[in-house]
Amino acid sequence: ITLSTTSAAPDGLAGGTDAAMASNVGADVVTVFNGNLTLQSFATGGPPRNFDIVIPLTTPFTFNSSSGNLLMEVVISTCTPAATTFFDTQETPGDSISRTHHWYGPTLFFSDSAGLVTQFTIELPADMSISKADAPDPVIAGNNLTYTLTVTNNSPNPAANVLVTDNLPYTSFVSCNGSNGTCGGSGFTRTITYASFAGNTSDTPSLVTRVCPEAACNTVLSNTATVSSSTPDPNSANNSSGAITTTVQSQADLAITKSDTPDPIVRGNTITYTVAFQNNGPSNSATTQVIDTLPPGFVASSATSTVGSCSGVGTNTVTCNVGTLGAPNQCTAAVATSGTITITTQVTFGLPPN
């Protein structure tokens, strides 16, 4: 496939012989594609049907409309040199109709000054690429994680309808800064779109997400972003950022308070200790345990907890295994964030402080 600037007037392409077809081609001819193409018809019979042939050009061609009209020549070679087919189509600037001649040597296959009415658009390739960075790494479960994307057009040609897609890991979406793009998407799948992306430029949109508080310590989050465009891209190898991994760590601010009743207490009566505990986050607290050592000589007669279970009745040390104590704003909100322990014991002598 070649492109050139032709001096032929509209509807003035020559055809009928190899030499005539060659006369259509301009002096600035460039071979923009040389390879195999597979074309498929969706139906047979009846009049011609509209269809598009997308050809990835391998070599750029510069066209100046003030110098003439744009000519595309397709030469289809077969095993027999004499069966070479020529296909010339001319695009007049400002006119969406092109005129086409066929030449199937050595016999005239089709030639008409009106020709086959076609329309073609030449899209110059744009090499789009994407990379990404995460911060902080490691990240505390329950805190925000920022992904910064670098989207680049490595070619001088603009790219149309650029789409950045980021499939977030198990996190809670916070915000998107599209920079020069437009944020979209929902749930774990977020997008940034550009109607047009200028050549030899970059943009740095960012996504902020909150790591779920219930993410276990040492969990590794993996995230990949991709970029695509309706403009032909000669290098698909850099259309993905590759997997970016972030290690999750846990940090939990546990709080506890204790009260007694009655106070003051009469010897021989029962005193009740109430222990309130909670997790202020940001992460869930795993294998949480509350231990209460009673004053010397005190023996627990009962011990119950609203979360987990307690042991140590009959001793002066009560141990309550709470298990996982959730942080606020969990993604699933399935684990309790606080609880209360009630311990009763009888006063049999003078009371030391507890």
Side-chain angles (χ1 to χ4, degrees):
I1 299 174
T2 65
L3 291 177
S4 65
T5 305
T6 181
S7 59
D11 297 338
L13 292 180
T17 65
D18 289 1
M21 298 295 286
S23 69
N24 295 324
V25 178
D28 58 349
V29 59
V30 172
T31 300
V32 294
F33 180 84
N34 186 3
N36 297 322
L37 287 177
T38 300
L39 308 180
Q40 180 178 356
S41 174
F42 292 95
T44 59
R49 290 171 171 81
N50 294 331
F51 66 98
D52 291 328
I53 303 173
V54 178
I55 303 170
L57 304 186
T58 56
T59 305
F61 173 79
T62 302
F63 172 64
N64 184 350
S65 60
S66 65
S67 300
N69 298 323
L70 183 62
L71 178 82
M72 178 174 68
E73 179 170 84
V74 181
V75 180
I76 305 173
S77 299
T78 63
C79 295
T80 306
T84 299
T85 300
F86 293 84
F87 177 104
D88 282 6
T89 183
Q90 177 197 58
E91 175 71 10
T92 303
D95 178 7
S96 63
I97 298 177
S98 304
R99 304 305 182 193
T100 301
H101 281 256
H102 286 186
W103 169 245
Y104 183 66
T107 304
L108 178 63
F109 174 69
F110 178 88
S111 180
D112 191 323
S113 61
L116 175 67
V117 178
T118 63
Q119 180 177 346
F120 67 89
T121 301
I122 302 297
E123 288 186 299
L124 299 178
D127 177 19
M128 298 300 301
S129 65
I130 189 169
S131 62
K132 75 183 310 181
D134 59 338
D137 187 3
V139 63
I140 302 298
N143 285 352
N144 286 349
L145 172 63
T146 299
Y147 291 113
T148 301
L149 312 176
T150 301
V151 186
T152 303
N153 183 349
N154 301 292
S155 66
N157 311 311
N161 303 314
V162 173
L163 172 65
V164 174
T165 303
D166 197 330
N167 294 309
L168 298 173
Y170 181 61
T171 54
S172 176
F173 176 75
V174 176
S175 65
C176 171
N177 179 359
S179 188
N180 294 315
T182 302
C183 295
S186 62
F188 295 123
T189 301
R190 297 290 164 169
T191 61
I192 301 164
T193 57
Y194 304 82
S196 181
F197 204 109
N200 295 327
T201 62
S202 294
D203 196 36
T204 53
S206 61
L207 294 165
V208 179
T209 184
R210 188 174 66 91
V211 179
C212 294
E214 56 265 38
C217 189
N218 294 322
T219 295
V220 177
L221 302 177
S222 181
N223 179 237
T224 301
T226 60
V227 63
S228 62
S229 170
S230 62
T231 301
D233 191 330
N235 180 18
S236 61
N238 56 7
N239 293 160
S240 171
S241 66
I244 301 297
T245 59
T246 311
T247 302
V248 178
Q249 294 183 347
S250 298
Q251 185 181 81
D253 175 20
L254 300 179
I256 192 168
T257 61
K258 184 174 183 178
S259 63
D260 62 340
T261 186
D263 187 0
I265 183 68
V266 177
R267 181 184 302 181
N269 287 352
T270 297
I271 185 171
T272 300
Y273 292 113
T274 302
V275 179
F277 57 91
Q278 69 182 40
N279 180 4
N280 295 323
S283 311
N284 284 10
S285 172
T287 61
T288 308
Q289 194 176 66
V290 178
I291 300 175
D292 191 347
T293 301
L294 302 176
F298 278 40
V299 175
S301 55
S302 68
T304 60
S305 176
T306 58
V307 181
S309 60
C310 298
S311 62
V313 174
T315 72
N316 80 322
T317 300
V318 174
T319 300
C320 297
N321 292 311
V322 176
T324 299
L325 188 62
N329 300 317
Q330 300 168 68
C331 293
T332 56
V335 182
T337 61
S338 62
T340 302
I341 298 170
T342 303
I343 303 171
T344 60
T345 182
Q346 190 176 44
V347 179
T348 58
F349 52 84
L351 295 176
N354 181 14

